[in-house]
Amino acid sequence: MNKGLLFSCLITASAVVQAAPISLEYQGFYQRLKQVNKGHYPLIEVAFSVPKANGCVVKSGSLTTEKESFPLTITDKQRIFLPFDDRLKSDRAVINLDMVGDASQCGIAMQIRAKQTKQQYQQAEIVDIQNQMNALLSAMQGFPMRYFSDEITGVNFEFEHPASVVIDGNAQPVEGVFRLSRHALEQITELSFSRAPDVVSPWTNGQ
């Protein structure tokens, strides 16, 4: 699984033993989206996706109620875009994912991440992102986030392709994930990359 996803919880389809589809209640996802939308977290978001481990491939997805059905937007990286909608919660909507292969080995991962990534950051910008991630994690305490009660260790900058980072004029290569601890962040002024990170996420002790 992607290192960034190791931070986050995995909402498994444990009750699903047939090949396909995965069906999960929308209400649990709504609660997480509500915490982000109702709180003051302008720099971060919650992203849902199906990890491709175990041959998990999503063919299509939908949100259904007793009377309606809506298609879901799913990217080639299997990120699932879920609406924040009170009516869907009230109507007890269900998320349906049509899978290739055995859906019992698959699930939906939730990850806190920065809304946007940049090639260059000032120290204060990263501190703001880190603080908002900490605040949201604190607001999400309880199952299944009970293991993440401590403050995050720092920030992950995730890259799909090789890159380089320059910290206050000192360059170094990056393969996969570049991690910046809270202590290291206190020592720097400016951070830049040869390309914008694909994902900026929390770094926790469990990673």
Side-chain angles (χ1 to χ4, degrees):
M1 187 182 297
N2 179 292
K3 285 289 185 181
L5 294 177
L6 289 176
F7 146 76
S8 47
C9 67
L10 184 66
I11 305 169
T12 60
S14 57
V16 180
V17 294
Q18 70 273 21
I22 290 177
S23 294
L24 294 168
E25 293 183 358
Y26 169 74
Q27 179 175 349
F29 298 87
Y30 170 88
Q31 295 300 331
R32 296 309 186 195
L33 291 168
K34 181 178 180 180
Q35 288 174 303
V36 179
N37 282 272
K38 299 298 185 182
H40 182 62
Y41 310 110
L43 301 177
I44 62 174
E45 63 183 351
V46 169
F48 300 103
S49 62
V50 176
K52 293 183 177 181
N54 301 318
C56 296
V57 178
V58 183
K59 293 170 60 179
S60 62
S62 63
L63 266 172
T64 58
T65 65
E66 289 186 358
K67 299 180 180 179
E68 299 176 288
S69 179
F70 310 92
L72 287 174
T73 298
I74 303 173
T75 69
D76 58 354
K77 296 179 182 177
Q78 300 198 157
R79 179 175 176 180
I80 303 165
F81 287 89
L82 297 175
F84 176 61
D85 193 312
D86 292 338
R87 185 173 62 85
L88 287 173
K89 174 182 174 290
S90 299
D91 291 346
R92 298 183 177 180
V94 174
I95 299 167
N96 304 291
L97 299 177
D98 188 16
M99 307 294 297
V100 174
D102 184 4
S104 67
Q105 303 300 311
C106 306
I108 300 179
M110 184 186 78
Q111 184 187 44
I112 294 173
R113 58 169 69 178
K115 286 183 179 179
Q116 298 179 332
T117 65
K118 302 165 46 177
Q119 278 190 259
Q120 186 169 337
Y121 292 89
Q122 299 298 314
Q123 181 197 51
E125 295 176 288
I126 308 175
V127 169
D128 285 344
I129 291 171
Q130 179 179 257
N131 289 343
Q132 288 185 30
M133 288 175 174
N134 261 326
L136 180 55
L137 269 175
S138 179
M140 286 183 171
Q141 287 310 306
F143 182 82
M145 308 294 285
R146 62 185 182 275
Y147 299 113
F148 302 106
S149 57
D150 296 332
E151 289 192 339
I152 62 176
T153 303
V155 179
N156 287 329
F157 299 85
E158 304 176 34
F159 296 86
E160 288 192 10
H161 305 287
S164 60
V165 58
V166 179
I167 303 175
D168 292 340
N170 298 312
Q172 66 183 79
V174 176
E175 290 282 350
V177 179
F178 172 74
R179 290 177 171 141
L180 189 64
S181 70
R182 298 170 65 88
H183 175 71
L185 178 55
E186 294 173 358
Q187 314 302 316
I188 72 169
T189 301
E190 187 177 88
L191 178 76
S192 62
F193 299 98
S194 58
R195 67 175 76 230
D198 295 287
V199 176
V200 177
S201 64
W203 172 19
T204 69
N205 286 325
Q207 293 177 273

